[in-house]
Amino acid sequence: MKIVPLLAGAMLVALVGSASAETITIATVNNGDMIRMQKLTDDFTAKNPDIQLEWVTLEENTLRQKVTTDIATKGGQYDVVTIGTYEVPIWAKQGWLVALDNLGADYDVDDLLPAIRGGLSLDGKLYAAPFYGESSMVMYRKDLMEKAGLTMPDAPSWDFIREAADKMTDKAAGISGICLRGKAGWGENMAFLTATSNSFGARWFDENWKPQFDQPEWKDTLQFYVDMMNADGPTGASSNGFNENLALFQQGKCGMWIDATVAASFVTGKDSTVADQVGFALAPDKGLGKRGNWLWAWSLAIPAGTQKAAAAEKFIAWATSKGYTELVASKEGWANVPPGTRTSLYANADYQAAAPFAKMTLDSINAADPTKPTVKPVPYTGVQFVAIPEFQGIATTVGQLFSATLAGQMSVDDALKQAQDVTTREMTKAGYIK
């Protein structure tokens, strides 16, 4: 007779527990590592039954637009946001982010790679935790390189890359010698082109913040890129960003791909048709002392507009912890753990054995210097971006111009002239130049 009241009581407790659970909304990018994280979050909710998760997963450019709008207005739409090395110090300075002071005693902040941690901090405080860190490097088909009669150096030049692209291109077989970002966006084609321009001796601004698109180094950069992509790139390259080029490479349609080091596990993984033929090399140079590689971390941060900061920080601590790395390793193998964030990962023998790209990734990250990104002196920091609030808007416009050039809608000279004009106008309006 007493069983029914006991069952009813248990059900009531369960219902009350469910009703009292706090839901946090997480905005993230539709990259492979983030998609994997969503599939593994049962581990988090099992350990934190009082916290439920709601996901908003968006394409990179769309994510940036929505998150920037929400965080600037303190709209409170998101409790955790996925942002990068560009945004963190700028937004922290503006009071838009919550400092991560309570990640837990076992989190081990000091284990974060210094280059990555430094880019996510302001005045010694961490304002975002890195989910994965990256530089950029060359990924290439070893079989096609051999067929072309070439050997990829560990540290290639742009001249070698152009020669290899020409020899590896086989239009009849549907193979492009090279795949590069062409999709417009300050974090899409402009990430690649800004890093590349550094190696060509170009810079966004001189020491007095005067735009430099009217200088020969930018002409050399953009003309080289457009000519190579027209000759050896895939059809419709002006629409291709990270994910589109990843798919092409996995399908065996690219001889070389220069992009984020984080792609290494995906081009050598189970979804890649050429997994056993992939080699890696440092990003190219022009013999001027700078390579065309960048420095970035996709990171998790808490907007100042949230009312659920404590729950949000618990999730961030879980997703960027050593424990999460071990969880991925147990489910997907060590080669597929999020790279580029922790010193301990690169000292891990299991990871070294499983990830042939580990050393090249770490070397690329360590080679990028945000404080001295260019051949000539500049007044800014940042490798593939300029760490000022105005950059996001300016580079979005410039990215559209350069993408149009790749699409054949305007000449290199016209694109550079318009880039110079719009950048000068916006920097004058912002008070950098008079």
Side-chain angles (χ1 to χ4, degrees), residues 121-132:
S121 301
L122 180 69
D123 298 330
K125 280 192 172 185
L126 194 68
Y127 280 87
F131 182 68
Y132 68 74

Side-chain angles (χ1 to χ4, degrees), residues 97-110:
L97 300 176
V98 176
L100 301 180
D101 296 327
N102 299 295
L103 291 169
D106 59 348
Y107 184 79
D108 195 4
V109 171
D110 291 334

Side-chain angles (χ1 to χ4, degrees), residues 32 113 189 280 384 390:
L113 291 171
N189 65 336
F280 305 96
Q384 79 279 24
E390 295 78 12

Side-chain angles (χ1 to χ4, degrees), residues 85-86 194-195 198 204 293-296 368-374 378-388 391:
T85 309
Y86 164 73
T194 298
N198 294 339
W204 268 79
N293 62 302
W294 63 65
L295 183 67
W296 186 256
D369 185 357
T371 65
K372 294 179 181 177
T374 54
V378 290
Y380 56 84
T381 60
V383 181
Q384 79 279 24
F385 57 82
V386 177
I388 58 173
F391 178 79

Side-chain angles (χ1 to χ4, degrees), residues 17-28:
S18 175
S20 64
E22 190 170 38
T23 300
I24 59 173
T25 302
I26 304 160
T28 196

